[in-house]
Amino acid sequence: MLKTKIIPPRAKKITQELNTHNEIRIDDYFWMKDRQDPEVIKYLEEENGYNEQMTAHTKQFQQELFDEMKSRIKEDDASVPYKHNGYWYYVRFETGKDYPIYARKKETLEAPEEILFNVNIMAEGHSYYKLTGVNVSPDNKLVAFGVDNVSRRKYTIQIKNLETGAILPLKIETTTGSSTWANDNKTLFYTRKDEETLRSNQIFQHVLGDDPSKDMLVYQEDDETYNAYVYKTKSDKYVIIGSSSTLSDEYRILNADEPRGEFQLFQQRCRGLEYSISHFEDHFYILTNKDDAVNFKLMKTSINKLAKENWKDVLPHREDVLLEDIEIFKEYLVVSERSKGLNHIRIMRWDETEDYYLPFDNETYTTGTGTNPDFDTHILRYGYNSLTTPTSIIDFNMKTKESEVKKEQSVLDKTFRKENYISERIWATAKDGTQIPISLVYKKGIQRDGSNPVLQYAYGSYGHTVDPSFSTTRLSLLNRGFIFAIAHIRGGEYLGRNWYEDGKMLQKKNTFTDFIDCTQYLIDQKWSSPQHMYAMGGSAGGLLMGVILNEAPHLYNGVIAAVPFVDVVSTMLDDSIPLTTGEYDEWGNPNEKEYYDYMKSYSPYDNVKAQDYPNILITTGFHDSQVQYWEPAKWTAKLRELKTDKNILLFHTNMDAGHGGASGRFEALKEVAEDYAFLLDLEGKIYN
């Protein structure tokens, strides 16, 4: 490591007393919340300057890593075309370009290409540019789309005339970016966000030619714990308004041929009742946890009898199988399941003459259905990959059972052979006796002698499962001797819905202790040692990093926390911040003392103490709407104040980005190169 006398920034302290439940918390860095304060910008820039100085010796290596990772990517790549409503749609990239080109061809792939959007041209002059919600009208003449060029996830909806190529002057601000056409080709439904909290709370109806300021509000969600959205069923028969919280859902339906009609309530919200709906002929199919179906079940009801008392079981609840999703075709029902942590795809004929699973025989694979907009087809498109196997897009004929690999991910590295890498799943025992699965991948030849660097990754919240998937960028670590480990900790749904329930609210600490127990197991089994152990997580996974740094700093040589949610108590008490109110069913509501006390007992910012910490890299985006920049900024300042070691603490704010980081595919690689250089520098492998 570079020996340096560079002095790290020291943020000023302004004592702020925060009184909750008659308890005073002192926050000396509360002032950093004001993004307009020049002192805030000055501090962030000082930290960025310090980061630049401290990593100056790695800049050439970062460039080499970037070039290496970029060289593995097929730059002139394209997605597998899919057919919808008479056109083949696909997305392609051009060599050297950061952004995608959206295109289509009429009827056959031999037809002339029609470019919908060249985002490279649209993004010129913008440091950040995101296009989303591409939505073609039923007559194929118009396309709606959303644009965000700030990275606050506040999209402006516009419409392009595909016959003339002109973008209409219409601009609808502060939306989610997505929209839904009615079948009349002139009525567009869209979701608007609250200007302050960014909660999606209103559904509007826009008619082409009208002033958007006169758009009709068709639904408003007043409950601050719910978010609203709108979409059309795959059958194109219904426009659906959904409204969801962490624990409950509610839907309204409208005949897509009658956009001036009134939306009909499907089933009113009941706390704890989760459901989603799909339409097929005379029935709606409902994926739900009704009747204590913890792992969900599939039900159906007539289009004329929507309320839950009319729902009937199609696929009953199973204790050991999580029902994740369904895909409806004219002759087939395709069910996505998860059992013992592994994905399964089940194919069933509606006439009940066939019922079978696609065969998979690996312990660390990931599979899932892909883009399947065509209703009347025998072809199911799905994807498959593993920690050692690049992604394949496969078309499976459900009638003949023949498969066609439409595309295999290109790895432009002559030295890459998937057989040179090993993946496996091992099980660590948590302190309460629970078995925690860990997916590993490493290059052949690794000896379990405690000397291997291990990067352990996890997320562990919202029921989100981190599946073991392939990464070309990760090869830059594996080829330098790193083992990559995914800890499938509680808080995700890897082992079913109860796996999630056991890692949220007043059980949240299981998420953190599971990760630490996995680390200890890897060390005990000689996969690594504290001198070579690293951890990484982002967003809610950054919260995880903050907790393990406070609770078990001795187990790690380095930790990377990306856009970390670390000021849990203050954030969850501030209902003006985007996402806060909708998060009460995930973390608890600290306005209730029981949840306040529990949250405060693990909140990373509130529990920083005078002790030795490992080397730390913290990254954030100034425009982040999910985790505000001031959380990692305050955390960094407090760590600098209290930590008793001489290890490195780096904090980098991307002043042009938000929660997802850079928008360009190559700019994003530079952020990965920064992370990897930090790890490899600590391992002394910077020039290998």
Side-chain angles (χ1 to χ4, degrees):
M1 296 296 299
L2 176 70
K3 302 298 182 184
T4 179
K5 294 182 180 179
I6 302 168
I7 306 301
R10 288 284 181 177
K12 68 179 181 181
K13 296 169 66 173
I14 302 176
T15 299
Q16 176 80 33
E17 292 188 353
L18 304 172
N19 189 337
T20 311
H21 302 298
N22 296 316
E23 177 182 300
I24 300 296
R25 285 183 301 129
I26 302 297
D27 187 348
D28 292 325
Y29 304 106
F30 187 85
W31 62 272
M32 291 187 186
K33 287 185 65 173
D34 185 0
R35 67 174 66 242
Q36 307 300 326
D37 185 348
E39 287 293 314
V40 172
I41 304 300
K42 179 173 177 285
Y43 171 68
L44 297 178
E45 289 176 344
E46 285 176 350
E47 285 286 0
N48 280 350
Y50 177 72
N51 176 61
E52 285 294 307
Q53 289 180 287
M54 292 295 291
T55 60
H57 67 292
T58 73
K59 293 302 179 183
Q60 180 181 343
F61 183 58
Q62 287 187 41
Q63 183 63 44
E64 290 171 6
L65 281 173
F66 169 78
D67 292 339
E68 179 182 297
M69 292 186 289
K70 183 181 176 184
S71 71
R72 295 194 192 102
I73 298 173
K74 189 174 187 295
E75 292 196 37
D76 56 344
D77 205 2
S79 66
V80 180
Y82 66 88
K83 195 172 187 182
H84 180 58
N85 198 22
Y87 281 84
W88 290 93
Y89 289 89
Y90 56 97
V91 179
R92 63 179 177 85
F93 288 88
E94 292 182 344
T95 300
K97 300 294 180 66
D98 251 323
Y99 293 95
I101 295 170
Y102 292 82
R104 68 179 185 177
K105 294 182 178 182
K106 190 172 184 179
E107 294 299 344
T108 74
L109 291 172
E110 286 68 47
E113 179 181 74
E114 178 183 343
I115 293 179
L116 306 182
F117 304 105
N118 186 335
V119 186
N120 297 288
I121 295 173
M122 300 167 76
E124 288 177 0
H126 298 282
S127 57
Y128 180 93
Y129 196 92
K130 179 75 171 178
L131 183 142
T132 192
V134 175
N135 172 31
V136 178
S137 61
D139 63 4
N140 293 310
K141 294 180 180 180
L142 300 168
V143 58
F145 62 100
V147 169
D148 172 17
N149 53 30
V150 177
S151 191
R152 284 287 285 174
R153 300 190 182 184
K154 293 165 64 174
Y155 291 89
T156 298
I157 289 177
Q158 296 179 264
I159 296 174
K160 181 177 181 179
N161 186 318
L162 293 174
E163 294 183 311
T164 66
I167 293 179
L168 307 186
L170 168 75
K171 288 189 175 182
I172 304 174
E173 309 284 351
T174 319
T175 77
T176 62
S178 62
S179 60
T180 298
W181 291 100
N183 290 343
D184 64 356
N185 299 294
K186 64 179 183 180
T187 305
L188 191 71
F189 294 93
Y190 63 90
T191 311
R192 197 182 288 278
K193 290 187 169 187
D194 180 272
E195 189 69 48
E196 182 178 21
T197 67
L198 301 187
R199 182 174 67 92
S200 50
N201 64 333
Q202 295 178 319
I203 308 296
F204 282 87
Q205 179 190 86
H206 173 76
V207 179
L208 287 183
D210 288 356
D211 185 333
S213 66
K214 295 183 170 61
D215 285 355
M216 184 170 71
L217 176 66
V218 294
Y219 178 73
Q220 176 153 323
E221 179 52 69
D222 292 322
D223 189 326
E224 293 182 341
T225 66
Y226 281 75
N227 286 281
Y229 47 94
V230 62
Y231 65 98
K232 191 189 283 187
T233 57
K234 183 175 175 177
S235 66
D236 290 329
K237 296 290 179 63
Y238 293 94
V239 175
I240 310 288
I241 291 176
S243 196
S244 297
S245 71
T246 304
L247 292 177
S248 311
D249 302 289
E250 182 177 82
Y251 293 91
R252 288 166 171 79
I253 67 172
L254 175 70
N255 187 322
D257 292 329
E258 302 171 6
R260 303 298 175 273
E262 289 191 15
F263 281 85
Q264 177 185 1
L265 181 64
F266 192 94
Q267 162 59 46
Q268 70 180 20
R269 65 192 65 179
C270 302
R271 182 166 176 80
L273 176 64
E274 298 177 63
Y275 73 100
S276 59
I277 58 177
S278 302
H279 172 249
F280 176 58
E281 295 184 343
D282 296 330
H283 289 88
F284 280 99
Y285 286 77
I286 307 133
L287 197 63
T288 180
N289 66 348
K290 184 178 179 289
D291 306 322
D292 298 319
V294 176
N295 277 329
F296 289 78
K297 62 179 177 177
L298 184 64
M299 307 184 78
K300 73 174 182 179
T301 193
S302 165
I303 58 174
N304 300 314
K305 295 181 178 179
L306 303 178
K308 65 179 181 179
E309 56 266 23
N310 301 299
W311 300 359
K312 293 180 171 53
D313 281 6
V314 176
L315 293 177
H317 177 253
R318 288 165 288 175
E319 295 290 340
D320 58 347
V321 178
L322 176 66
L323 190 55
E324 293 189 312
D325 201 4
I326 63 169
E327 187 81 62
I328 289 179
F329 297 88
K330 183 177 180 180
E331 295 182 32
Y332 296 90
L333 170 66
V334 177
V335 183
S336 296
E337 304 176 348
R338 185 182 296 273
S339 176
K340 298 179 180 177
L342 303 180
N343 306 125
H344 300 286
I345 297 177
R346 182 180 182 183
I347 297 172
M348 310 166 66
R349 281 189 64 95
W350 289 113
D351 63 12
E352 300 183 350
T353 58
E354 282 191 303
D355 183 347
Y356 60 93
Y357 287 85
L358 293 179
F360 303 110
D361 58 357
N362 196 310
E363 269 213 331
T364 56
Y365 71 86
T366 297
T367 189
T369 57
T371 304
N372 291 283
D374 197 353
F375 181 69
D376 188 4
T377 180
H378 294 139
I379 302 300
L380 168 70
R381 177 162 293 172
Y382 71 95
Y384 176 89
N385 74 104
S386 74
L387 288 168
T388 59
T389 307
T391 300
S392 292
I393 304 299
I394 301 162
D395 278 0
F396 178 76
N397 189 310
M398 295 179 282
K399 186 174 183 179
T400 67
K401 299 184 176 60
E402 295 174 323
S403 294
E404 180 185 0
V405 177
K406 303 298 290 185
K407 180 181 180 181
E408 290 183 346
Q409 180 183 2
S410 298
V411 182
L412 303 185
D413 182 344
K414 293 179 180 179
T415 67
F416 174 75
R417 300 286 185 276
K418 63 182 179 182
E419 56 270 19
N420 290 339
Y421 301 85
I422 296 172
S423 65
E424 57 183 292
R425 185 170 63 167
I426 60 177
W427 299 77
T429 303
K431 286 183 172 59
D432 64 2
T434 303
Q435 293 291 295
I436 314 297
I438 307 172
S439 295
L440 297 175
V441 62
Y442 51 91
K443 199 167 185 180
K444 277 185 178 177
I446 291 289
Q447 302 297 315
R448 281 169 52 183
D449 57 7
S451 67
N452 303 304
V454 169
L455 176 58
Q456 183 178 320
Y457 179 85
Y459 185 74
S461 292
Y462 304 105
H464 173 70
T465 297
V466 180
D467 281 311
S469 56
F470 185 79
S471 165
T472 59
T473 57
R474 192 187 300 136
L475 294 173
S476 292
L477 284 183
L478 302 184
N479 292 344
R480 290 174 171 84
F482 263 79
I483 298 169
F484 183 74
I486 303 171
H488 302 290
I489 54 183
R490 283 173 281 188
E493 282 186 345
Y494 186 78
L495 292 180
R497 183 69 173 195
N498 282 326
W499 203 244
Y500 170 41
E501 299 293 340
D502 287 346
K504 63 184 285 198
M505 303 289 277
L506 297 175
Q507 304 296 318
K508 189 64 210 172
K509 289 184 182 180
N510 285 334
T511 300
F512 316 133
T513 56
D514 282 358
F515 191 91
I516 292 169
D517 291 340
C518 286
T519 301
Q520 190 64 61
Y521 180 80
L522 291 170
I523 291 170
D524 291 344
Q525 295 298 310
K526 303 295 185 183
W527 289 100
S528 189
S529 59
Q531 295 77 27
H532 301 286
M533 195 75 205
Y534 302 91
M536 182 176 183
S539 194
L543 161 65
L544 171 63
M545 296 300 101
V547 175
I548 68 163
L549 280 167
N550 287 333
E551 297 298 321
H554 60 286
L555 292 181
Y556 306 94
N557 188 38
V559 171
I560 299 176
V563 291
F565 172 42
V566 285
D567 191 12
V568 183
V569 177
S570 292
T571 291
M572 293 304 298
L573 283 168
D574 186 350
D575 59 13
S576 71
I577 295 176
L579 298 185
T580 291
T581 54
E583 305 278 287
Y584 289 157
D585 289 328
E586 179 71 27
W587 313 101
N589 183 348
N591 293 298
E592 299 175 25
K593 192 171 189 310
E594 179 183 25
Y595 291 105
Y596 171 84
D597 289 341
Y598 188 76
M599 219 175 267
K600 184 170 174 284
S601 72
Y602 68 75
S603 173
Y605 181 66
D606 293 286
N607 288 281
V608 173
K609 49 185 172 284
Q611 66 175 3
D612 285 359
Y613 285 89
N615 299 286
I616 305 170
L617 170 62
I618 301 167
T619 61
T620 193
F622 184 64
H623 299 290
D624 196 331
S625 61
Q626 312 302 106
V627 177
Q628 307 296 320
Y629 73 87
W630 61 74
E631 293 200 36
K634 291 166 54 177
W635 184 41
T636 300
K638 193 170 183 180
L639 281 167
R640 288 211 189 284
E641 175 194 352
L642 294 178
K643 75 189 194 82
T644 55
D645 58 87
K646 295 183 179 179
N647 289 323
I648 290 175
L649 170 58
L650 302 176
F651 176 42
H652 179 203
T653 303
N654 185 330
M655 301 300 291
D656 298 318
H659 198 63
S663 56
R665 58 175 176 160
F666 298 134
E667 284 302 308
L669 282 182
K670 292 178 181 177
E671 296 176 345
V672 178
E674 178 185 7
D675 293 342
Y676 284 8
F678 173 76
L679 298 171
L680 291 162
D681 192 19
L682 291 171
E683 276 297 302
K685 294 178 178 285
I686 203 163
Y687 301 112
N688 290 357

